[in-house]
Amino acid sequence: MIFSRTYRYQSSMRPDDIKVRLLGKHVKVHNLDFEVSEKDRVIRVIPHAEQENEIRTLPITHVELSNKGDKTQIVISSKMRKIDSGGPLLIMIFCMFLFIATIVTMTVGEGLMIYTYTFGAIGVLIFSVFWLRMERGYFDYVRKIRDYIKKQSVA
């Protein structure tokens, strides 16, 4: 999916040591609490957003640790919560329809150039504002959680 991110890197620490450093801890990102827990041998970083009044798009992060000789392969994958994915997907679909309308009016309409420019400008404007908000919100959460995990897995 477009909002999923996966990061891979290696650490010199053993997987058990990394688990000890991560499990049971809480991560604070933008005054929002994320809890680190384990389920089915996968470490999960899940937001506590029950008391949140503000609408936010939050990630669920899975951390997989695998032993590669004297190194540990760490795979961090973040995806949007299902409850949060509706709004961003609708905005992406709306922008896509605006871009399709721009292309159609550009190729078919001879005297409709004002509509072509209008559809294109509105689509670019909406997408730009949307992406900037996602970068400051959702993707910032993903980056800060990734940085926290990297910091904890350094020997």
Side-chain angles (χ1 to χ4, degrees):
M1 202 166 134
I2 193 168
F3 301 112
S4 298
R5 296 289 184 260
T6 301
Y7 304 96
R8 290 175 172 74
Y9 66 97
Q10 291 186 356
S11 174
S12 60
M13 291 180 67
R14 295 180 321 153
D16 295 333
D17 295 337
I18 295 172
K19 280 185 182 181
V20 167
R21 282 187 170 192
L22 289 174
L23 290 179
K25 302 290 192 289
H26 289 264
V27 182
K28 274 269 207 232
V29 179
H30 298 297
N31 295 324
L32 189 64
D33 185 44
F34 288 81
E35 182 180 3
V36 182
S37 63
E38 184 177 23
K39 183 178 181 182
D40 298 332
R41 294 186 149 187
V42 174
I43 297 172
R44 302 183 321 163
V45 183
I46 300 187
H48 284 285
E50 296 86 22
Q51 287 83 23
E52 277 300 310
N53 295 332
E54 226 175 288
I55 297 174
R56 296 180 186 204
T57 305
L58 300 171
I60 293 178
T61 304
H62 292 139
V63 181
E64 297 176 25
L65 306 171
S66 58
N67 206 353
K68 301 282 184 183
D70 61 340
K71 301 256 185 201
T72 300
Q73 175 77 28
I74 301 171
V75 179
I76 303 171
S77 56
S78 297
K79 64 180 183 175
M80 192 177 294
R81 297 186 309 170
K82 288 184 185 199
I83 194 168
D84 294 336
S85 64
L89 285 177
L90 283 175
I91 292 171
M92 294 291 292
I93 290 170
F94 182 71
C95 288
M96 184 180 65
F97 280 131
L98 283 173
F99 294 139
I100 290 171
T102 301
I103 292 170
V104 168
T105 56
M106 188 180 296
T107 57
V108 175
E110 302 216 354
L112 303 174
M113 288 310 257
I114 188 74
Y115 295 115
T116 301
Y117 296 132
T118 303
F119 287 148
I122 290 172
V124 168
L125 179 70
I126 291 172
F127 184 77
S128 299
V129 169
F130 166 72
W131 200 258
L132 286 173
R133 288 190 52 123
M134 290 296 285
E135 282 293 328
R136 287 185 23 216
Y138 173 76
F139 291 120
D140 194 38
Y141 287 116
V142 171
R143 280 190 298 271
K144 289 188 177 175
I145 290 170
R146 179 196 64 206
D147 292 344
Y148 172 78
I149 293 169
K150 276 181 146 180
K151 189 172 87 173
Q152 295 299 319
S153 63
V154 173

